[in-house]
Amino acid sequence: MKLVVIGVGYIGLPAACLFAKSGVDTVGISRSKEKVNKINQGIAPFEEPSLSELLREVLDSKKFECSSDLEGECSDADAVIICVPTPLKNKGMDDTALVEASERVINSVRKDVLIVIESTVAPGTTYKIGDMLKEKGWEAGKDFYLAHCPERAIPGRTIYEMVHNDRVIGGINEESTEKAVELYSKMVKGEIFKTDAVTAEIVKLSENTFRDVNIALANELAMICEFWKVNVYDVIRFANRHPRVNIHLPGSGVGGHCLPIDPWFLTEQYSKAEIIPVSRKINDSMPEHMVRLAVQLLDEYKIKLSDAKIAVFGVAYKKDVNDTRETPAKKVVELLRERGANVVAYDPLVKECDFVEVMDLRSAVEGSDAILIVIDHTSFKNIEWNEIGEMMRTRNIIDGRNLIDKLPNFRMKGIGRGDLKIKEEKK
Ligand code: SAJ
């Protein structure tokens, strides 16, 4: 069988390679000729553990290639998976790329084709694409099959999770679900659950919304613990020893391409939602809280942000990845700049980004007045803080991720760290 995967980004490329590895003749499609050439030379356009090796393996075995000829490749495809971006627009889904890709696919495929949407979509989208196919005069379950099979893999473990996680597949009718399950069974080792398209869409969005709402609770607990001058990380650690409690971790903000977006897709058409938008608001306000803590700490020592050099540690959207999509660091940098601070950044995983200059460790901290730990990369644990302190103008740290405990020669504040008593630590 021939499979065509439209979109070779963070999800499309690993998925295409994994199908190819499981023996399916697979073609990945990208508009960008430069990207196509790179991929065909075995160069993955982004970093993901073991992706490069997998890509080279499937190119060598001739089971996979990349092309920009969407229409040509779709014309004799048995199955097409659509993995194009579905960004956020006005607290809802921007379906421009999805609709355009779907139109081009629909106009080029032959009868009997299976189309699967893997992109994360707002409820009802798969049926909408189904209607576009029906306008062609084609009958679902007879002339075409259409299903939603959301991805669930976490960046950094994509290859493993794509194969081993359980999957949920929902077709626009039972025949479509069956066809899609048949395809994914070739690659997925986890259990596959069959349902309808809207259920599958809501399942995917609920997963990330659960995480977002849970983190919002953790962030609110952080505020309560700052008020009571205790450590929220202790509170959560102890509470989670209860067999039915699993509170996530607070921090400087929620980023990435999923958690800040999917809750809005889920509530796009349901205007009565309450807890979901409030959670989004709480999580979106965490960069502001980070800056508020910095202002409070520096104020205590009569340092104005407008005179200060601030080093932001971590510009990726979360620990141990080099991806900066929707990173809370961007908001933190913007807010600090609004107050006149000179802001630089240190992130050993991100070479450059478009909102702040990323420097080596020494250049970033040299002459600085405060370090703001926005992201807690594991390598930060090896930092010799006392050596860093020697290079700083004034030794202030605002820890947004509970990376370090009390440091004797530093003045510190931290999200949810009401136990850090600034005044008493003053040197
Ligand atoms: N974060 C916290 N506190 C926590 C956990 C995370 O503040 O306790 C923050 C992170 O720092 C980051 C953001 O949340 O800024 C998102 O990180 P994440 O690790 O929760 O999720 P993603 O966006 O990397 O991947 C999620 C995953 N979803 C779930 O775990 C339910 C992944 O499995 C999905 O495939 C992915 O979204 C997606 O593509 O939807």
Side-chain angles (χ1 to χ4, degrees), residues 120 151-155 161 204 207-208 211 215 248-251 253-259 262 317-318 328 375 401:
T120 302
E151 59 78 21
R152 296 171 130 177
I154 197 145
E161 291 207 350
K204 162 73 197 187
E207 292 163 0
N208 285 333
R211 229 166 141 70
I215 296 167
H248 290 2
L249 294 176
V254 170
H257 190 66
C258 307
L259 270 63
D262 294 4
Y317 84 84
K318 68 172 182 180
I375 298 299
R401 299 277 170 187

Side-chain angles (χ1 to χ4, degrees), residues 88-366:
L88 182 68
K89 190 179 168 188
N90 306 330
K91 297 188 177 168
M93 181 179 71
D94 177 357
D95 66 358
T96 318
L98 179 71
V99 168
E100 199 210 309
S102 304
E103 270 168 0
R104 291 179 64 192
V105 168
I106 290 168
N107 288 330
S108 48
V109 285
R110 58 186 183 188
K111 276 193 178 173
D112 237 19
V113 69
L114 163 69
I115 300 175
V116 177
I117 298 169
E118 262 214 37
S119 309
T120 302
V121 292
T125 305
T126 308
Y127 281 101
K128 222 171 95 181
I129 306 289
D131 290 342
M132 286 162 64
L133 274 143
K134 286 178 192 160
E135 274 169 26
K136 223 174 134 136
W138 285 13
E139 201 181 314
K142 189 164 159 272
D143 301 319
F144 75 93
Y145 305 89
L146 175 66
H148 180 48
C149 177
E151 59 78 21
R152 296 171 130 177
I154 197 145
R157 274 170 61 86
T158 300
I159 306 292
Y160 178 85
E161 291 207 350
M162 255 187 193
V163 175
H164 293 91
N165 286 1
D166 294 341
R167 296 294 280 256
V168 176
I169 296 187
I172 60 165
N173 56 19
E174 275 176 29
E175 294 88 336
S176 293
T177 309
E178 291 301 333
K179 276 267 183 193
V181 170
E182 203 184 303
L183 171 65
Y184 277 78
S185 301
K186 294 181 195 297
M187 187 266 274
V188 171
K189 294 204 172 101
E191 209 172 322
I192 299 179
F193 295 90
K194 300 175 196 174
T195 183
D196 62 273
V198 175
T199 304
E201 289 163 342
I202 296 179
V203 166
K204 162 73 197 187
L205 300 171
S206 307
E207 292 163 0
N208 285 333
T209 302
F210 159 76
R211 229 166 141 70
D212 198 48
V213 172
N214 193 326
I215 296 167
L217 168 66
N219 282 329
E220 190 147 290
L221 290 174
M223 304 300 165
I224 293 169
C225 290
E226 284 177 30
F227 174 81
W228 284 104
K229 306 215 177 317
V230 295
N231 181 344
V232 73
Y233 295 91
D234 283 344
V235 168
I236 291 173
R237 189 157 52 92
F238 299 142
N240 284 351
R241 297 309 295 250
H242 185 291
R244 286 174 295 283
V245 173
N246 172 24
I247 306 170
H248 290 2
L249 294 176
S252 56
V254 170
H257 190 66
C258 307
L259 270 63
I261 294 170
D262 294 4
W264 294 125
F265 286 14
L266 186 55
T267 55
E268 187 188 77
Q269 290 188 54
Y270 180 73
S271 59
K272 291 183 188 144
E274 291 188 33
I275 191 171
I276 295 171
V278 167
S279 301
R280 280 279 71 247
K281 196 171 148 209
I282 292 174
N283 291 341
D284 274 350
S285 73
M286 295 314 287
E288 261 161 62
H289 186 57
M290 240 349 237
V291 173
R292 198 178 309 131
L293 291 178
V295 172
Q296 281 170 10
L297 182 57
L298 293 178
D299 259 6
E300 297 214 23
Y301 300 98
K302 309 269 181 282
I303 304 167
K304 285 200 191 111
L305 257 187
S306 52
D307 300 329
K309 175 182 173 184
I310 308 289
V312 164
F313 275 34
V315 293
Y317 84 84
K318 68 172 182 180
K319 72 189 286 185
D320 300 337
V321 299
N322 67 354
D323 190 339
T324 58
R325 288 179 296 172
E326 315 289 330
T327 173
K330 187 174 181 187
K331 191 78 200 280
V332 170
V333 169
E334 281 169 8
L335 292 168
L336 290 167
R337 285 212 181 113
E338 273 170 27
R339 290 169 165 271
N342 167 21
V343 192
V344 298
Y346 169 62
D347 190 318
L349 298 183
V350 180
K351 287 185 201 83
E352 55 180 358
C353 70
D354 57 7
F355 56 88
V356 66
E357 190 178 352
V358 183
M359 299 177 158
D360 61 81
L361 181 56
R362 174 174 277 277
S363 314
V365 296
E366 196 87 68

Side-chain angles (χ1 to χ4, degrees), residues 403-416:
L403 177 83
I404 37 185
D405 207 5
K406 293 171 194 170
L407 284 170
N409 298 320
F410 282 83
R411 297 179 294 236
M412 291 182 66
K413 272 188 184 276
I415 284 182

